[in-house]
Amino acid sequence: MEVTLQNLTKKFPARGRKNREDVIAVNDFSYKIPDGKLIGLLGPSGCGKSTTLNLISGLLKPTGGRILFGEDDVTGLPPENRGIGLVFQNYALYPHLTVRQNILFPLQNLKGKDKLSRAAMLEKADEAARLVQIDELMDRKPGELSGGQQQRVAIARALVKMPRVLLLDEPLSNLDARLRLQTREEIRRIQRETGITTIFVTHDQEEAMSISDEIVVMKEGVVQQIGRPQEVYDNPVNLFVAKFLGTPPINVFDGEIRDGRLYIGKDEVLSVKGVSDQTVYAGVRPEGFVLHKDGPLCCALSGVEVMGRDISVVSRHEASLNPAVRAIIGTENSVDTGSALVRFALKPGKVFLFNKETGERVRGQANEGEELLRP
Ligand code: ADP
Ligand code: MG
């Protein structure tokens, strides 16, 4: 089911003396969510993710704009008539009911022509339970399950009616790290198997990046960028998006463009075509550093962290906005930890320039200048 958001807006009225201004929790959000895809709705706490999801589910009414499921305008429909499945962070299972009864619950409320026989309901519940691999646990109560198992029950309950759209609001946040990893793979698998258009809300960029066909990055109610995870990572439209994606985070420096050269502090690090002289923020992805004994970016070495798969070189630079500069390099490199300085060349494709006032990306063609060293 394709889901279309048209200029979707939600204002919450100002309340009390302290909050004099309306909160625009979702601000003019337009997006055609492709059929059968998993979309990650991503952004820091308070950016409007849950509000967006609740507008799509019908739990909230928009202040403006429309929502379509396929050709169907659902903007005025109550949640129960939209054909959605909802999963929240806190599972929200009925504690006194068994797993089976919990999963059956949405089916028992079906009325009129949708009403099912007991046998048909049980079959659907079994099917949903098998899909999330909890069919062995059907007679237990939620209190007798681990967090991960409880969340699977919640997902089965959301799937049992085969919803047109599946909406998940931070479904993994209550799970420990290992379960989070495992359950997100599960969600991906279930989504692929069922082909249900799914919107997955999270504040965790890695989670969103790892399972989404497309991510939507939001900030203060406003969509910043939509695209395939790799696309957005490789081509952020502004400093906010660049900083929000990636671990370790992007390294941000005070930079300056002069005569087609990028300077970080006094270090002339790259040649840049098509950008007029100006001060900029220069963002360098951790994997954008190349260790080189004559590299143009000269940093004070703080330490080296061996992480097995690669090495993290921690250093300082007077133009760095991050307290530490973090470079990730391959284990084939060896860093002289006795040295006070470490020098890097930069990979042009991993360096982004941003306007200092607006944070918008400054587009230009970064090149390693002929006179600058190639790694
Ligand atoms: P997120 O899910 O991204 O953390 P929310 O969608 O919950 O963010 O909230 C977005 C903004 O709207 C926040 O500033 C929040 O305080 C505000 N907000 C959310 N729900 C309400 C409400 N019922 N009344 C007033 N303000 C709200
Ligand atoms: Mg939320």
Side-chain angles (χ1 to χ4, degrees), residues 49-50 169-170 201:
K49 305 180 296 294
S50 295
D169 194 349
E170 310 250 5
V201 161

Side-chain angles (χ1 to χ4, degrees), residues 71-82:
E71 302 286 296
D72 215 3
D73 188 331
V74 301
T75 317
L77 288 184
E80 60 273 18
N81 297 345
R82 291 193 182 192

Side-chain angles (χ1 to χ4, degrees), residues 194-210:
T194 59
I196 297 174
T197 307
T198 299
I199 305 169
F200 182 102
V201 161
T202 178
H203 63 274
D204 182 335
Q205 57 90 23
E206 198 203 322
E207 203 167 278
M209 299 269 287
S210 64

